[in-house]
Amino acid sequence: QSVLTQPPSASGTPGQRVTISCSGSSSNIGSNTVNWYQQLPGTAPKLLIYSNNQRPSGVPDRFSGSKSGTSASLAISGLQSEDEADYYCAAWDDSLNGFWVFGGGTKLTVL
Amino acid sequence: QLQLQESGPGLVKPSETLSLTCTVSGGSISSSSYYWGWIRQPPGKGLEWIGSIYYSGSSYYNPSLKSRVTISVDTSKNQFSLKLSSVTAADTAVYYCARTWIQLETFDYWGQGTLVTVSS
């Protein structure tokens, strides 16, 4: 069972806006920044969002992140077929001398 | 362009030690801006952080794996390594090495991953 909680699946049609939630606690999301990773089938995870809402160079502005309290969200607007992938949230957890924690992942299907 | 490449045996017997190496190219492992870590993903499951190391040798581990994990660094070869002892089938996973950008608190570069199967 993952420390951060994500819905196992999400879906949308091309052009739609989809959001994926990530719920944590005061020791992780509540006190540290959140990152989001995209994992296309058969490939390594790729950094999508860092510091809650920052996009690395090359990531389309269709992807956006937000954080409030002990929860975070990833939003994808103008959904495209190539967005079909697994999405993971991650944060540093301050408990037990500190360690990285991930969400269980959300499989996004573009219908 | 920074690249990370995992290498090591793809099959390990139960109770033995899993050993992997990550070779970093296109950048120096001795930079003060980064940690270097290992993350794994069992087949069909999510990501689990194993541990990370600084070029000086300072390391920290996932509490759930700490008793079985050792991560080391070889700056002369621009490599860092993972040893996981007393493995069981539950340790079967794709193992990724990744760079942690300290200032931004994120894993910004990942290796392609290597599948390690624990089986007799």
Side-chain angles (χ1 to χ4, degrees), chain A residues 5-91:
Chain A
T5 301
Q6 297 179 237
S9 64
S11 64
T13 56
Q16 268 191 331
R17 183 176 187 270
V18 171
T19 61
I20 296 171
S21 63
C22 176
S23 177
S25 67
S26 58
S27 63
N28 43 64
I29 293 179
S31 50
N32 296 293
T33 60
V34 177
N35 303 303
W36 289 91
Y37 300 91
Q38 178 192 58
Q39 187 175 34
L40 297 170
T43 69
K46 167 194 165 186
L47 178 62
L48 198 63
I49 297 287
Y50 66 94
S51 298
N52 304 325
N53 55 18
Q54 301 299 302
R55 286 185 307 276
S57 174
V59 173
D61 59 6
R62 302 187 295 105
F63 294 90
S64 62
S66 64
K67 182 183 112 169
S68 178
T70 59
S71 295
S73 291
L74 172 70
I76 309 172
S77 60
L79 198 61
Q80 299 180 4
S81 59
E82 56 261 40
D83 297 334
E84 187 161 291
D86 293 325
Y87 293 85
Y88 294 89
C89 58

Side-chain angles (χ1 to χ4, degrees), chain B residues 30-35 54-55 99-104:
Chain B
S30 298
S31 170
S32 60
S33 300
Y34 310 108
Y35 267 84
Y54 197 52
Y55 75 94
R99 186 181 81 170
T100 306
W101 190 347
I102 298 171
Q103 181 181 9
L104 298 185

